[in-house]
Amino acid sequence: MKFWIIVTLIVLGEVLQNALCQQHKRTKEAGDNRIRPGNKRMKPRVPKGKDRESGFSGKSQSIMTRVLDKGRFLKLSGSYISNSGESLELRCKGSQIGWAYPVYLDTFKDSRLSIKQHDKYSQLLLSGTSAADTGEFSCWPLLCDGSECTKDVDKTTTTYIYFTDKEELFVPSTSYFEIVYLRPDRPSIIPCRVTSPAVKVALHMEVPPQEIPVDGDQISFDPKEGFIMHKPGPEHRGVFYCKASLRGTPQMSVKYQLLYVEVPSGPPSVTIEASSSRVMGGDNINVTCTVLGEPEVEVDFTWTYPGQDQRPVIIKEAWRLINRGMGHTTRISQSVITVEDAETIDFGNYVCTAKNLQGQTSVAARVDSY
């Protein structure tokens, strides 16, 4: 009897132990599925595809921000619209920063503009902004080795800022009449820039009065540049103006005289001529160096002559625009060297060197004695 009692107790003990283990297991599994609140940080999702394109990454990341009110900051790139009259504060990260801004502000040494370098950023302040301040603002880190510094092109940030003004739909010009040169080998721009990308602009010819069609192929419009003539020709010469409208009375730009340029780009085309190839002692020697070139391309002249550094000479330079017919315009630049009371030392070769941005050309004329 005792034997069966002992066996029964052993079996009951094993049953109870199995039951307790099963209950513990169920409790653990339920706990594993439970969401527990806490302060654990979650790793942010890395944007893919179009999400990534909307931000900055790599070396294209903007280093420029605009300081807004209440200590807020806005990272800038591309273009940005601001109201005229507001103060502008831009900051660029870096201990040594270079800046570029509309040349208008530099030309007139505008006291509204100030730049200050701090320890970790550079600050540009422009007070009392106006429509005339519309344009590109850029900043970049300076890579310096001693006193020599270079621009870090890869980290340059540029933003085009429109300063909107309903009374000034066009960015004001410094003159009432501008000349635009047309060349067959490059696009030409009629620079009627606007103060808001929402402004609608049309191009007009004065005589005969007509609106010029803008098809995007021959002629297109960019609010940051103006009207672009992609393939200018002689038929485009004349007087033009732009007409803008934005929920109100249309406004007119300044007028633009379009002149067709006959002379192509390149090193100067130079001719040289002496007043006489033979002169007597005591006579004057005059040698003229002439360059025909593009209307706005400046030319620098230098001379090499027989009595150099020993005899006094007079050198005069001048230039003018000439109309060569059919609306073709050319710039004629001249340098004239004069030697008075010629002596034996003054006879020989007079060499003129004309230089522009595309290169230089040298020509010579010889003056001998009788």
Side-chain angles (χ1 to χ4, degrees), residues 30 64 69 87 158 161 218 220 228 254 260 271 295 336 354:
M64 182 190 296
D69 57 350
S87 293
T158 299
I161 302 180
Q218 296 289 333
S220 62
I228 305 169
V254 300
Y260 190 75
T271 59
V336 181

Side-chain angles (χ1 to χ4, degrees), residues 96 142-150:
Q96 290 181 298
L142 291 173
L143 304 175
C144 297
D145 182 8
S147 60
E148 296 293 326
C149 295
T150 58

